[in-house]
Amino acid sequence: MECQKCNKEKKTGSYYEFHYGNTSMSDMGPVPWSPTGRRYKVTTTIEGSRRSWICRTCVIKGTIMPIALGTLLCALLPATMALRLIYAGEISDPIASLVGVFLFICLYLGVYQIGMGIGEIGVSGENRAIEANSSELREAGV
């Protein structure tokens, strides 16, 4: 069958179904104990559902790729620390500080990506089906 995400002919995969609709918010008036000072009612209306065939490769990529990227970003910190120990006297302090800030940002982004990948476990197929149909649904105004 043809995967609706990558548009390639694949043998292994599955159908994934998702529901779509619109969300609206209406003002319910002032409330003194609310942080915003107002209370809102959120209503979600389900317009329909779609079913898409997604190959196993796309589903696995949706989980593995964020985890691999996050692991790579997290690995930059110990790798650079090892290089700094090797070249201890040759790196100036301002450059070392700048690299340190960059590495901690990479560490933060790496942990975030790993969390995103772990969050995809069990729902990666549905998310890939939503991605495959999102432009079509957006054009329809849903």
Side-chain angles (χ1 to χ4, degrees):
M1 293 194 76
E2 184 177 334
C3 175
Q4 290 181 316
K5 174 70 177 143
C6 64
N7 296 321
K8 293 181 181 174
E9 197 68 31
K10 300 284 179 115
K11 291 182 181 179
T12 58
S14 187
Y15 282 100
Y16 294 94
E17 186 173 3
F18 66 95
H19 306 285
Y20 59 90
N22 290 313
T23 301
S24 63
M25 188 166 60
S26 58
D27 191 356
M28 304 259 323
V31 177
W33 45 265
S34 173
T36 60
R38 313 242 0 123
R39 186 170 58 169
Y40 297 94
K41 178 181 179 183
V42 178
T43 306
T44 303
T45 307
I46 296 178
E47 302 285 329
S49 62
R50 292 255 172 120
R51 195 175 152 188
S52 298
W53 195 86
I54 307 294
C55 69
R56 183 178 295 168
T57 304
C58 288
V59 172
I60 291 172
K61 277 184 186 178
T63 304
I64 298 296
M65 290 302 282
I67 293 174
L69 178 63
T71 304
L72 181 68
L73 287 171
C74 288
L76 286 175
L77 184 62
T80 307
M81 295 304 232
L83 286 175
R84 176 125 196 255
L85 289 174
I86 293 170
Y87 299 105
E90 301 175 21
I91 300 174
S92 66
D93 286 339
I95 292 175
S97 298
L98 185 63
V99 169
V101 168
F102 173 73
L103 290 174
F104 281 111
I105 290 171
C106 287
L107 180 67
Y108 171 77
L109 292 174
V111 170
Y112 176 77
Q113 284 293 318
I114 291 170
M116 293 294 289
I118 290 171
E120 284 287 318
I121 295 173
V123 295
S124 182
E126 288 84 0
N127 289 342
R128 302 299 78 78
I130 291 168
E131 287 173 5
N133 290 286
S134 64
S135 61
E136 189 179 317
L137 291 171
R138 217 175 289 121
E139 287 176 8
V142 180

